């Protein structure tokens, strides 16, 4: 038996019961459900035939183009200059004495 329901092993009464249940559940949306089911089947068949064609004739068209690889560049050295150091205590004591602050102590000369 090569009918579509042969794998499910359903008799005609069970098939009618399932169809009636489908009409009751989906009602007005039955045409939309049928359309979406049909579209799904068509997409599945297209993808299956595409895979089948790819397996039978794999060298017909390359699927991906090879991306050219860039040659490695030599490492570049970045020259950084060291920050200039200024003694903050010398600046503070000079500014403090110039402003007349006597609270700031200066270190004794060495």
């Amino acid at each position: 038996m090569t009918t579509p329901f042969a794998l499910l092993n359903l008799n005609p009464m069970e098939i009618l019961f399932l169809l009636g249940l489908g009409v009751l559940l989906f009602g007005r949306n039955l045409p939309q459900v049928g359309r979406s089911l049909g579209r799904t089947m068509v997409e599945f068949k297209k993808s299956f035939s595409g895979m089948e064609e790819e397996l039978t004739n794999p060298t017909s068209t390359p699927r991906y183009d090879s991306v050219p690889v860039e040659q490695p560049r030599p490492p570049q050295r970045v020259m950084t200059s060291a920050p200039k150091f200024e003694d903050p205590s010398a600046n503070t004591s000079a500014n403090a004495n110039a402003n007349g602050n006597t609270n700031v102590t200066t270190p004794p000369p060495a």
Side-chain angles (χ1 to χ4, degrees):
M1 184 174 210
T2 59
T3 61
F5 298 109
L7 293 176
L8 298 176
N9 202 13
L10 298 174
N11 63 22
M13 191 64 175
E14 292 172 341
I15 295 171
L16 287 175
F17 176 73
L18 290 175
L19 287 174
L21 186 65
V23 168
L24 286 175
L25 288 177
F26 296 110
R28 294 182 185 188
N29 295 334
L30 198 56
Q32 292 173 350
V33 170
R35 257 186 245 115
S36 65
L37 185 63
R39 288 181 187 147
T40 304
M41 297 271 298
V42 167
E43 288 295 320
F44 179 75
K45 286 180 182 179
K46 281 182 183 178
S47 65
F48 187 74
S49 67
M51 285 193 306
E52 189 176 82
E53 181 180 311
E54 189 175 299
L55 289 175
T56 58
N57 195 3
T59 60
S60 63
T61 56
R63 189 158 210 203
Y64 301 106
D65 294 334
S66 61
V67 178
V69 178
E70 288 185 30
Q71 295 295 326
R73 294 185 228 161
Q76 297 177 353
R77 292 187 180 180
V78 178
M79 300 300 285
T80 58
S81 61
K84 295 180 181 178
F85 179 74
E86 295 178 10
D87 189 14
S89 63
N91 260 350
T92 308
S93 63
N95 288 340
N97 289 337
N99 291 335
N101 287 340
T102 57
N103 294 338
V104 177
T105 59
T106 58

